[in-house]
Each structure stands twice: as structure tokens, then as C-alpha cells.
Amino acid sequence: MANIKSQIKRNRTNEKARLRNKAARSEVKTHIKRAVASAETGAETSVEDLRTAVKRLDKAAARGIIHKNQASNRKSRLVRRINALTAAATGDSSEA
């Protein structure tokens, strides 16, 4: 346990930030899973779910919760995955 007053305060603020960041990362994962699930089922809301997932990734990157390159990589993988799912659902065999 810290004895220095400023370090005690830093420990409190770090804990608050850790919990806030944990909640934001969890929300990002939830929205990504929701977007993939709606693309698999072919729901009408799949486009909106994808848009929301991308928005949450951008917000997390802007707030410094995840790195901007990590957000970019996740968005790229998510869009590629959803495009593959929708292509498979429509029966397009043009993508290999």
C-alpha cells in the first residue's frame, strides 16, 4: 500500500479509469458480436449493427482505450468477415 498522498490519489483515479476502460472494451466486444450474429442470420438490422460496432470502435480509439491502429485492424477484420457472411448467404461464389 502506498504511503505517499499523491500516489494514494493516483491509485484511486487509476482504478476508476480501469473500470471505465473495461466497460468500454466490453461494450465494443458486445457490439462486434451483435453485428456478426445479425449478419449470420441475415437480419434487416445487420447494416445498423455494423455501423454501431464501427462507431464504438472509433469512440474507444478516440478516448485512448484502444490504439487507433488496433481499432482500424478490428474494423477491417469485422467488415471482411461480415462481407464474407453476406456473400455466403446470398450464394455469391465470385469471392474466393
Side-chain angles (χ1 to χ4, degrees):
M1 187 67 187
N3 293 326
I4 299 164
K5 191 175 182 180
S6 61
Q7 188 57 46
I8 292 169
K9 183 177 179 184
R10 284 303 304 159
N11 288 345
R12 281 198 310 262
T13 58
N14 287 342
E15 182 64 15
K16 287 178 188 174
R18 184 185 72 82
L19 294 174
R20 193 167 45 240
N21 292 344
K22 181 180 175 184
R25 280 193 298 267
S26 176
E27 186 182 19
V28 165
K29 290 177 190 175
T30 301
H31 282 287
I32 288 173
K33 287 178 187 174
R34 190 176 296 158
V36 171
S38 65
E40 284 176 344
T41 60
E44 306 97 40
T45 61
S46 61
V47 174
E48 186 60 36
D49 289 337
L50 173 62
R51 186 176 295 126
T52 305
V54 169
K55 184 177 180 180
R56 296 292 184 223
L57 280 165
D58 286 335
K59 275 192 172 186
R63 292 178 178 158
I65 295 166
I66 60 174
H67 195 272
K68 64 176 187 168
N69 291 351
Q70 174 69 277
S72 180
N73 286 339
R74 287 190 190 191
K75 286 190 294 187
S76 174
R77 288 181 64 193
L78 176 63
V79 171
R80 281 195 351 231
R81 186 172 174 187
I82 288 179
N83 283 341
L85 286 171
T86 55
T90 59
D92 264 353
S93 60
S94 60
E95 296 241 8

